[in-house]
Amino acid sequence: MPIKYKSTNKERIIKEEEKTEIITGEEAALEMLYYKIFISSWNKLFKKSLIIENNILFNKNIHFGEGFNFSIDTFLKAKKVCITSVNKYYYRVDNENSVMTKFSINQINGSIDAPKHLQEKYDKINNNISKGLKYANWHTHCDCLNSIIGTCNKDFNKKLYIRIKKEVKKGAKNAIQAPIPIKEKMKALFYMINPEFAANIINKLRKRKFKKK
């Protein structure tokens, strides 16, 4: 996992003792679908032969979340995956030029679309993965809701905003039943009761600050 920090953060970085764990490819995919390991592909090493032999490619039709889909596809073809606890990457969360702090309707639509491609592949093939995909889809909608509210863009596309808010509220029940930490279940409960209020609270507590419109 990356260490998140602000430019004003002067805390000393402590080196951790490295811990490694070997799990199956399906277990790694589930860890990622439940956001227990970082969802991008840039912090992972993949065996070249595994990718070539299974013809695993980045989906050209996905413009946001393509790394997430690539990693899930690769994990599900792997017999084993090694996970390390050592932090190798430091990510500045208050960078106003970061794409993650700005509002983009294309990013919102692209992020929502990405899990659908995985659901089309695995929903009827693997029940465990199907359940994980439902959680990942819900989590993605929460992230999009946080972004819209955090950047003060609720009125940019009211239909999209209402649709995302409904999906967050509806999917929260599955999230509460998912194999995630109690803290995350509590977040899901707040989203189910009042999605907008929950997004506002989480945006205030998180390290990353959005750039207002």
Side-chain angles (χ1 to χ4, degrees):
M1 294 289 286
I3 292 179
K4 296 179 181 180
Y5 72 100
K6 295 182 180 181
S7 57
T8 56
N9 190 341
K10 296 182 180 180
E11 293 181 3
R12 185 166 56 89
I13 297 172
I14 302 173
K15 292 185 178 180
E16 296 181 357
E17 180 182 352
E18 183 170 6
K19 297 178 182 178
T20 58
E21 180 183 8
I22 304 295
I23 59 177
T24 67
E26 181 175 320
E27 287 172 336
L30 289 171
E31 288 281 290
M32 193 164 171
L33 289 172
Y34 288 114
Y35 285 68
K36 295 178 182 179
I37 59 177
F38 206 67
I39 66 172
S40 296
S41 58
W42 48 257
N43 67 337
K44 299 172 180 65
L45 292 174
F46 300 98
K47 192 174 182 179
K48 183 179 179 181
S49 60
L50 177 67
I51 294 171
I52 293 175
E53 289 170 7
N54 291 283
N55 193 32
I56 303 170
L57 303 171
F58 278 85
N59 192 327
K60 294 180 180 179
N61 296 318
I62 301 175
H63 304 291
F64 293 94
E66 68 278 12
F68 179 83
N69 287 36
F70 177 85
S71 296
I72 295 297
D73 284 336
T74 308
F75 285 157
L76 290 176
K77 292 296 182 181
K79 292 182 179 179
K80 58 184 179 180
V81 174
C82 177
I83 300 177
T84 178
S85 63
V86 174
N87 294 297
K88 303 290 186 181
Y89 186 86
Y90 298 87
Y91 182 75
R92 180 182 161 194
V93 294
D94 63 344
N95 179 6
E96 291 190 353
N97 295 316
S98 170
V99 68
M100 299 304 294
T101 64
K102 299 177 182 178
F103 174 79
S104 166
I105 191 66
N106 290 330
Q107 182 177 348
I108 296 294
N109 285 321
S111 298
I112 290 173
D113 187 54
K116 294 178 182 177
H117 290 270
L118 289 172
Q119 287 175 321
E120 289 173 1
K121 283 185 181 180
Y122 304 114
D123 251 357
K124 296 180 181 180
I125 298 175
N126 188 313
N127 188 51
N128 289 330
I129 296 298
S130 179
K131 290 179 180 178
L133 283 168
K134 287 181 181 179
Y135 177 80
N137 180 63
W138 174 81
H139 198 290
T140 297
H141 279 80
C142 290
D143 289 340
C144 291
L145 180 66
N146 293 347
S147 177
I148 291 172
I149 291 177
T151 56
C152 301
N153 277 286
K154 290 192 295 183
D155 297 325
F156 184 85
N157 187 324
K158 287 187 176 181
K159 287 185 178 180
L160 177 62
Y161 175 70
I162 292 172
R163 179 160 58 88
I164 290 174
K165 197 163 63 167
K166 285 182 178 179
E167 190 66 30
V168 167
K169 190 176 182 68
K170 182 179 70 174
K173 183 177 179 180
N174 289 329
I176 292 171
Q177 297 172 346
I180 55 175
I182 293 296
K183 180 181 177 181
E184 298 304 314
K185 289 178 183 286
M186 292 300 297
K187 285 183 183 179
L189 179 61
F190 288 134
Y191 274 116
M192 184 167 66
I193 296 171
N194 190 324
E196 189 169 317
F197 176 76
N200 273 307
I201 294 299
I202 289 172
N203 282 342
K204 288 180 180 179
L205 295 175
R206 70 193 310 186
K207 290 183 179 180
R208 178 186 293 126
K209 300 301 179 183
F210 291 106
K211 187 174 183 179
K212 308 293 183 181
K213 67 176 180 179

